[in-house]
Amino acid sequence: MNSTQIILKSSTRDLILVTGGAGFIGSNFVLSWLKNTGDSVLNLDLLTYAGNPANLAELEGDACYTFVRGDICDPELVASLHREHRPWAVVHFAAESHVDRSIVSPEAFVRTNVLGTFTLLEQARLYWMGLNGAERERFRFLHVSTDEVYGTLGAGDPAFCETTPYAPNSPYAASKAGSDHLARAYFHTYKMPVLTTNCSNNYGPFQFPEKLIPLMILNALEGKPLPVYGDGKNVRDWLFVEDHCAAIRRVLEAGKPGECYNIGGNSERANIDVVTAICDLVDELRPVGAPRRRLITFVEDRPGHDRRYAIDAAKIARELGWKPAEKFESGLRKTVRWYLEHPEWVENVRTGAYREWIAQNYAERREVHGLGTRD
Ligand code: NAD
Ligand code: TYD
């Protein structure tokens, strides 16, 4: 085991093992879990470019929180964490998560998302098989996945439901689909109590500014071009991250092992509408002379860019009573405010690695036209 273990404190309460808890959704989940339950959290995170311990700074000294820096692909480490901390649940967020990076460098996606998920499933299975009675009954493995495994929709197609056939189009989506199939197989073959959630695009505090919403907020604030891919009419369904965290808590609490649950925000928006809404919010909260919409620049499209994602979240509403609480407009306003109010966090995540990525992804991308030149 060549990981760094930073044991902040330990307690004897019930504990869950979270992977990727220093990333965007994972850190929101850890904070909300500790606020909403009496359990402790063991967070296993490799701290790649996307992992940021500052997201969890408020937990320093908290007896209910333990952080371990390490790799989900390391079977000895994963086995020892199960053995020593005896989680009643594993909530698996750790992944390479950015589609554009998966197009440039797909290998890391296969390693972490496929091999890493396999390693975690296998070590969790060995641990679970050694449990007895009530402990064995109670154990859950929740695999966090994405709507991108279902492929792309046309404008009039019905939204993705849990029985929509898988048709992943990017290396990211394909690697997540592979991990979903492994999760499914572990239930089917070993009867291990695995649950899978497939969620739409999240947004909110702590999102790394390589993704659409934080990238546009920060570029708008700094008067930089706002690079919209293609014609800007690709559609995503957006979910405020706290709603995703609440859905995961609910699935852990009441979900049926072996089942998949689609999670969505009922908020389909074209990218260009998201970007103009951000421009208007930044204008309102940090006014400058000229409207930020002037910064919108249409650039060469992402290869294989999925046209539309939409989620049918009727199953989780019907069976578990979960619905999103946040409307897109209010969630976006909260998100813009959060980035404006946390300049230090922003400064810290924009390391050399971040700047290199921006140069690599956008420098070669040909500008097609600015908003002002569109008819
Ligand atoms: P993120 O990229 O912000 O965070 C990923 C975290 O995983 C980071 O903290 C990183 O350090 C950690 N990690 C990466 N490789 C690791 C490894 N080998 N071992 C241990 N830790 C490792 O991702 P996110 O946006 O928070 O997404 C979390 C999960 O939710 C992912 O599985 C993703 O596929 C899924 N998801 C994300 C979205 C979204 O909109 N962001 C939507 C649906 C599903
Ligand atoms: P992204 O946040 O990367 O999420 P995903 O690809 O997983 O949906 O992108 C959201 C949408 O925004 C997607 O259609 C691609 C588009 N996009 C841009 O137009 N410009 C950008 O600079 C980025 C990062 C994304």
Side-chain angles (χ1 to χ4, degrees):
M1 193 199 308
N2 58 0
S3 66
T4 320
Q5 282 212 23
I6 308 164
I7 309 293
L8 295 178
K9 269 189 205 169
S10 60
S11 80
T12 53
R13 306 200 304 182
D14 281 348
L15 174 142
I16 63 166
L17 167 57
V18 172
T19 71
F24 162 48
I25 305 173
S27 56
N28 278 285
F29 178 78
V30 169
L31 293 172
S32 75
W33 182 266
L34 290 171
K35 275 185 199 124
N36 285 283
T37 75
D39 291 357
S40 296
V41 170
L42 169 65
N43 177 12
L44 170 62
D45 195 300
L46 187 57
L47 299 184
T48 65
Y49 78 93
N52 184 358
N55 298 358
L56 297 167
E58 69 182 78
L59 299 179
E60 212 171 308
D62 189 326
C64 299
Y65 176 66
T66 303
F67 176 70
V68 175
R69 183 173 191 182
D71 191 341
I72 57 164
C73 299
D74 176 345
E76 285 83 31
L77 171 63
V78 173
S80 76
L81 293 178
H82 280 88
R83 222 174 23 243
E84 287 159 24
H85 295 268
R86 306 188 63 76
W88 73 263
V90 176
V91 187
H92 175 36
F93 294 97
E96 290 292 336
S97 69
H98 188 34
V99 173
D100 289 321
R101 284 186 192 256
S102 84
I103 294 168
V104 176
S105 315
E107 194 175 336
F109 287 73
V110 176
R111 181 184 180 275
T112 297
N113 300 358
V114 182
L115 185 61
T117 300
F118 161 71
T119 306
L120 202 61
L121 280 165
E122 181 59 4
Q123 295 310 319
R125 179 178 76 87
L126 296 173
Y127 164 72
W128 168 73
M129 280 170 39
L131 296 176
N132 292 314
E135 271 193 323
R136 190 180 165 112
E137 264 306 294
R138 188 182 179 208
F139 184 77
R140 295 287 183 273
F141 185 107
L142 195 152
H143 172 59
V144 179
S145 192
T146 166
D147 58 357
E148 304 194 24
V149 297
Y150 297 121
T152 186
L153 294 169
D157 290 340
F160 301 131
C161 62
E162 289 78 1
T163 52
T164 301
Y166 273 35
N169 286 324
S170 70
Y172 164 65
S175 65
K176 290 297 289 188
S179 66
D180 292 12
H181 291 321
L182 284 166
R184 176 192 155 86
Y186 268 65
F187 172 76
H188 190 82
T189 306
Y190 306 112
K191 302 291 173 267
M192 181 171 149
V194 176
L195 301 142
T196 298
T197 55
N198 294 87
C199 186
S200 59
N201 286 54
N202 284 216
Y203 67 101
F206 301 124
Q207 187 166 31
F208 193 76
E210 64 187 355
K211 304 274 167 68
L212 180 75
I213 288 183
L215 180 90
M216 295 297 170
I217 296 171
L218 298 182
N219 281 14
L221 197 57
E222 292 170 7
K224 292 182 180 160
L226 306 177
V228 174
Y229 298 164
D231 64 2
K233 296 203 176 123
N234 298 65
V235 170
R236 297 292 181 264
D237 172 59
W238 293 96
L239 180 70
F240 193 57
V241 65
E242 279 177 22
D243 277 328
H244 189 188
C245 296
I248 291 173
R249 284 200 303 278
R250 186 67 192 135
V251 172
L252 265 183
E253 185 177 52
K256 194 166 159 233
E259 293 290 315
C260 300
Y261 297 92
N262 279 1
I263 302 171
N266 208 15
S267 296
E268 281 186 61
R269 298 286 184 281
N271 292 337
I272 187 62
D273 295 334
V274 173
V275 177
T276 51
I278 291 170
C279 289
D280 297 349
L281 280 167
V282 177
D283 284 348
E284 180 195 322
L285 298 168
R286 289 288 158 84
V288 284
R292 260 75 171 209
R293 288 184 185 208
R294 78 188 189 288
L295 301 169
I296 292 174
T297 310
F298 290 87
V299 298
E300 202 172 327
D301 209 353
R302 170 188 282 174
H305 195 176
D306 285 338
R307 193 64 175 167
R308 173 178 167 239
Y309 301 144
I311 279 273
D312 175 350
K315 177 177 171 180
I316 190 170
R318 190 177 59 245
E319 295 184 9
L320 306 182
W322 175 88
K323 281 195 178 133
E326 194 74 54
K327 294 266 176 295
F328 182 68
E329 284 64 31
S330 55
L332 190 64
R333 178 175 286 274
K334 284 184 188 172
T335 305
V336 171
R337 272 191 192 285
W338 188 88
Y339 281 89
L340 298 186
E341 286 165 5
H342 292 82
E344 268 180 36
W345 183 92
V346 170
E347 198 48 48
N348 288 338
V349 295
R350 294 167 127 188
T351 59
Y354 173 76
R355 282 197 297 274
E356 266 167 42
W357 165 252
I358 295 296
Q360 185 178 12
N361 191 44
Y362 296 99
E364 299 291 303
R365 219 177 261 275
R366 203 167 42 85
E367 179 176 332
V368 182
H369 48 72
L371 188 64
T373 59
R374 274 165 63 81
D375 51 21

